[in-house]
Amino acid sequence: MQAIDAATVHRLCAGQVIVDLATSVKELLENSLDAQATHVEVKLKDSGLTSITITDNGHGIDTSSFSTLCRKHWTSKISRFEDLEHVSTFGFRGEALSSLCSVAQVTITTATRDSAPMGTELEYNMSGELTKQTQVARERGTTVRLTQLFAKWPVRHQDLKKNIRREYLRLVSLVEQYAIISDNVRVSLINQTRTGTTTHVRTVVQSDRLTRLLSVIGASLRPHMARIQHESTQDGDVKIDG
């Protein structure tokens, strides 16, 4: 027996975090929501086979984090295990961007309130190390672009191409779920193919969850829906509203 080298371990672990098209978008969508974005656009080219681009108007990434942004287990959310009791964000482990670097080519363009309208384009290698940094025009927010998803994972890449329609439909369902639960956030999902551009999800900035739900699933289902509200303090604070 012998120890597996660090680079191989990193790739194997990344393959357990990013397992398909939907999880690659899920991690980035959650990052945008954690950044307090009010507009998140998910744009795919050829259903994600060519590229995946997630753009938001969140608070952006500070320059001090550029070099460590995609390193494994580097995070601003926690510093010790006990901090998990107070985590209020989707992400906290510092694994998403690092894992994405192992399964795709990652380019990030970002600007903060202080730096806009000037931003920075960042390119990272498979190990999550910053390889290139360029000044570009950018309003506040972040854009993450993925290309060559699973290209260096032949079996998974072939499976993605073979089942791309099924994978894309799973992605649509996932984005719809986040669009419904995200208060005061406009979420859109756009797919550009050789035959044209199609918008599969588009919500408006709306605090009322029912309105967002109907905009996603269709107003025709409204007569078949019932409001549920329940609150109990017998076994701890339990509140159900939906």
Side-chain angles (χ1 to χ4, degrees):
M1 296 178 64
Q2 62 183 10
I4 303 174
D5 65 90
T8 301
V9 170
H10 179 58
R11 292 186 65 185
L12 290 173
C13 291
Q16 295 175 329
V17 176
I18 308 298
V19 298
D20 55 19
L21 177 66
T23 54
S24 65
V25 173
K26 169 185 174 293
E27 298 293 350
L28 296 176
L29 180 54
E30 289 182 347
N31 281 353
S32 293
L33 295 175
D34 285 344
Q36 305 299 310
T38 59
H39 180 201
V40 184
E41 180 189 81
V42 181
K43 188 172 184 178
L44 278 66
K45 190 171 183 181
D46 299 320
S47 302
L49 289 175
T50 300
S51 66
I52 303 166
T53 305
I54 290 84
T55 302
D56 68 52
N57 65 345
H59 53 56
I61 302 166
D62 190 79
T63 55
S64 62
S65 299
F66 286 173
S67 62
T68 58
L69 182 63
C70 294
R71 290 181 182 173
K72 195 172 184 65
H73 300 313
W74 281 69
T75 177
S76 60
K77 308 300 191 304
I78 63 172
S79 59
R80 57 179 185 164
F81 187 81
E82 289 74 17
D83 293 339
L84 292 175
E85 296 181 9
H86 310 290
V87 169
S88 59
T89 57
F90 286 108
F92 56 85
R93 296 176 302 171
E95 283 192 312
L97 289 174
S98 172
S99 297
L100 284 168
C101 285
S102 287
V103 301
Q105 181 65 47
V106 177
T107 303
I108 300 175
T109 306
T110 188
T112 62
R113 181 177 60 183
D114 294 335
S115 67
M118 183 63 68
T120 308
E121 183 179 88
L122 309 164
E123 295 181 18
Y124 295 87
N125 63 17
M126 285 187 60
S127 300
E129 296 298 321
L130 180 63
T131 58
K132 188 177 180 180
Q133 182 172 326
T134 309
Q135 295 296 305
V136 295
R138 176 70 163 89
E139 293 301 317
R140 192 188 78 163
T142 301
T143 297
V144 181
R145 185 170 186 265
L146 308 179
T147 56
Q148 303 177 34
L149 182 63
F150 297 129
K152 296 180 181 179
W153 299 65
V155 175
R156 194 170 290 186
H157 190 241
Q158 282 299 116
D159 184 67
L160 177 64
K161 291 197 296 183
K162 179 182 178 181
N163 301 295
I164 190 61
R165 177 172 172 75
R166 182 187 67 190
E167 293 289 323
Y168 182 72
L169 290 177
R170 287 180 59 195
L171 172 61
V172 171
S173 177
L174 176 80
V175 175
E176 287 178 340
Q177 293 171 43
Y178 278 92
I180 291 170
I181 68 171
S182 300
D183 295 341
N184 297 308
V185 181
R186 183 166 78 249
V187 178
S188 58
L189 171 62
I190 302 168
N191 187 27
Q192 180 182 353
T193 66
R194 288 176 294 179
T195 59
T197 300
T198 306
T199 301
H200 285 105
V201 179
R202 174 166 288 170
T203 60
V204 297
V205 178
Q206 174 60 255
S207 60
D208 181 61
R209 187 162 296 178
L210 176 60
T211 301
R212 294 198 308 275
L213 178 61
L214 294 176
S215 72
V216 171
I217 67 175
S220 61
L221 292 178
R222 179 65 182 92
H224 306 286
M225 301 171 66
R227 187 69 178 265
I228 298 175
Q229 290 181 304
H230 175 74
E231 188 169 354
S232 174
T233 58
Q234 294 180 352
D235 302 312
D237 293 332
V238 177
K239 185 176 181 181
I240 301 174
D241 187 3

